[in-house]
Amino acid sequence: MARPMLLLSSFALALLAYSSLASAHIVEHSFHVQNLTISPLCQQQVVTAVNGTLPGPIIEVHEGDRLIVHVFNKSPYNLTIHWHGIFQLRSGWSDGPVYVTQCPIRPGNNYTYNFTITEQEGTLWWHAHVQTLRETVYGALIIRPRKGHSYPFPKPHREFPILLGEWWNANIIDVENQALAVGGAPNNSNAFTINGRPGDLYNCSDGTHKIKVVQGKTYLLRIINAALNTQLFFKIANHTMKVVAVDASYTNPMVTDVIVIAPGQTVDALLTADQPIASYYMAAHPYASAAGVPFDNTTTTGIITYENAISSTPLMPTLPANNDTPTAFKFYSNLTSLVNGPFWAPVPLKIDKHMFVTEGLGLVPCGANQTCEGPLGLIFAASMNNASFVLPTKLSMLQAFFSNNATGIYTTDFPKNPPLVFNYTDSSNAFNTSLVITSKSTKVTKLKYNSTVQIVFQNTALVGIENHPIHLHGFNFYVLAQGFGNYDAVNGPKKFNLVNPQKRNTIGVPVGGWAVIRFTANNPGVWFMHCHLDAHLAVGLGTAFVVENGPTACTSLPPPPPDLPHC
């Protein structure tokens, strides 16, 4: 009797596998990237955009689908596209960060990204990963449950993507290059946007994004912070929201009247239209955690109008103060995972590699015959464990990893601890030249396949104290704990949530504080980890993990596609 039962069980598993394959589809898009002339604030500006729109096209897929995107670079700039938050299991060639997983798509050339969405649902996004091009080259990537499956919450009446952006009345590549040339900070933006529109609080705005709702209905807001350099508070007048996912990972429902969201992060929130029939502003303005540093102190708005509402001035929400760190920390730290939701896995308890990573700003010497505008007459830099990351240019890091023969592209000696132990959050050390001077290198960490890594991120007060959003490519990670001051190795672990910690791909490390994350390195390849404030990434706030191949062909990186761009 055992053999027929075994055959029946095998047949059932095969049928299940066939059913899963049958429910998956190929979703195909073409991105034509080229110049677009627009004037959000009455000043004509030529920008780089996809298919003539800002934001770019919304990509909608189901879990299990294969996504193919043909990118034709008709712009004057080198280009890559990063699929922010996608695991890219065995498809690291499609991850996109320039010189990390591929060389750039040169003007006039094209490349096809090809990957499968595996065990992910929710809101992610795509954006350019070369210099500052993601100011205008970005769009939503919406992953719905596989056909026949449902959300772990009541199905909303409708869904609305809310992409928060940042705008300069200048060529954004010039803005970055000018800052790098003199070693100073880049000029602040001129406006923020909601779905490409600044809103009606700006002089000469080209418009306000509007949403119509029906009283009593519930809507899913898919909120994405696509800004280059600014964390944002987001609020809707007279309404609360129920957060149900962050970074495409389901959370225990959390009711809030304000959302704080860092560049790179996404938040899925349910909005019930339960207020009197009228019009209400949704608004966003900066969470500016660095004291004394100038920032774009403006507010972008959209309008939510109830069906049958009489035309009137919308009600305006009261946003938190720009430096309201307690509100930001409360939001970030109170999120927990939905452990009975799709794709949840328990926190791994055995740790194979411990890392303590200081991150923040620093300085490097001024070049000969160069006028430098950074503090102390030096050049702004940024670093992790005092190693300021420099991208290679001769070959991508992933190509070097795959060939096993390439040398001089990166070294595997990224320090697992900072070179000096000091009072990391003491602002009197801000310009201590024995601590603040860093050096340029391309150092990475090599990881065994399937090893578990725990990282303590420690913000520093060097140059200035600030909340840094750190993004890890190729993985989600568990956020075990967050706090202020210097991490305490004795008492810190007592605060760890090992039961239902939130999962993210981008974490805002608290201003003057720390955060602890944990992940399993089950994805072979080269994976970038960096600050998602472009001004900080541009001056070196990053590193990378090289994850070795697994023991079988199915756990190893396949060869590069034939059309992979050459350096």
Side-chain angles (χ1 to χ4, degrees), residues 345-363:
V347 180
L349 300 180
K350 178 181 177 293
I351 304 166
D352 300 298
K353 189 173 188 68
H354 289 266
M355 299 180 71
F356 186 96
V357 177
T358 55
E359 35 94 1
L361 296 178
L363 300 168

Side-chain angles (χ1 to χ4, degrees), residues 147-459:
K147 295 289 179 66
H149 296 240
S150 60
Y151 297 124
F153 48 81
K155 184 178 180 180
H157 181 64
R158 281 192 64 188
E159 301 178 7
F160 295 116
I162 305 292
L163 289 91
L164 307 175
E166 198 165 10
W167 173 259
W168 278 257
N169 282 329
N171 180 300
I172 193 61
I173 296 293
D174 291 345
V175 170
E176 181 181 56
N177 289 341
Q178 288 162 7
L180 294 174
V182 297
N187 292 336
N188 289 320
S189 54
N190 297 101
F192 301 102
T193 59
I194 295 177
N195 288 356
R197 298 295 186 89
D200 52 18
L201 299 188
Y202 292 94
N203 291 330
C204 215
S205 168
D206 77 337
T208 303
H209 182 69
K210 297 178 181 179
I211 289 172
K212 183 161 282 189
V213 298
V214 176
Q215 190 178 46
K217 300 290 187 181
T218 297
Y219 299 84
L220 179 61
L221 305 183
R222 297 182 178 272
I223 307 165
I224 299 167
N225 187 346
L228 277 184
N229 292 320
T230 307
Q231 302 194 60
L232 295 163
F233 287 117
F234 176 83
K235 201 169 182 180
I236 301 171
N238 288 20
H239 289 74
T240 59
M241 294 166 282
K242 184 184 291 184
V243 175
V244 293
V246 294
D247 293 359
S249 292
Y250 291 114
T251 63
N252 286 308
M254 185 180 82
V255 176
T256 180
D257 68 342
V258 62
I259 285 169
V260 62
I261 184 167
Q265 292 183 330
T266 70
V267 174
D268 288 358
L270 295 173
L271 170 71
T272 299
D274 57 3
Q275 295 301 301
I277 292 176
S279 293
Y280 301 86
Y281 275 125
M282 52 180 163
H285 78 182
Y287 165 45
S289 61
V293 176
F295 62 95
D296 175 3
N297 189 13
T298 62
T299 301
T300 181
T301 54
I303 298 175
I304 296 176
T305 299
Y306 280 58
E307 189 174 75
N308 300 322
I310 298 171
S311 180
S312 62
T313 301
L315 296 173
M316 185 71 184
T318 301
L319 288 157
N322 297 114
N323 62 351
D324 191 347
T325 289
T327 292
F329 184 76
K330 179 181 177 182
F331 179 87
Y332 280 142
S333 61
N334 281 354
L335 293 162
T336 55
S337 282
L338 185 67
V339 298
N340 60 351
F343 314 126
W344 167 260
V347 180
L349 300 180
K350 178 181 177 293
I351 304 166
D352 300 298
K353 189 173 188 68
H354 289 266
M355 299 180 71
F356 186 96
V357 177
T358 55
E359 35 94 1
L361 296 178
L363 300 168
V364 292
C366 189
N369 302 318
Q370 183 181 10
T371 300
C372 297
E373 297 179 0
L376 308 180
L378 303 175
I379 295 175
F380 270 122
S383 68
M384 291 183 170
N385 282 352
N386 208 40
S388 187
F389 192 80
V390 178
L391 288 166
T393 56
K394 296 179 181 178
L395 193 70
S396 79
M397 299 169 72
L398 189 59
Q399 287 171 294
F401 163 80
F402 185 81
S403 70
N404 288 322
N405 296 318
T407 59
I409 304 302
Y410 59 79
T411 60
T412 57
D413 57 344
F414 180 81
K416 67 178 183 179
N417 293 294
L420 292 173
V421 176
F422 60 100
N423 187 348
Y424 306 110
T425 56
D426 182 358
S427 57
S428 68
N429 282 322
F431 297 106
N432 182 337
T433 52
S434 66
L435 299 173
V436 77
I437 304 299
T438 183
S439 59
K440 300 288 187 176
S441 61
T442 310
K443 296 181 178 182
V444 307
T445 299
K446 199 170 185 178
L447 298 175
K448 294 286 186 183
Y449 178 79
N450 224 31
S451 60
T452 297
V453 184
Q454 180 171 294
I455 305 175
V456 177
F457 289 118
Q458 175 67 62
N459 262 338

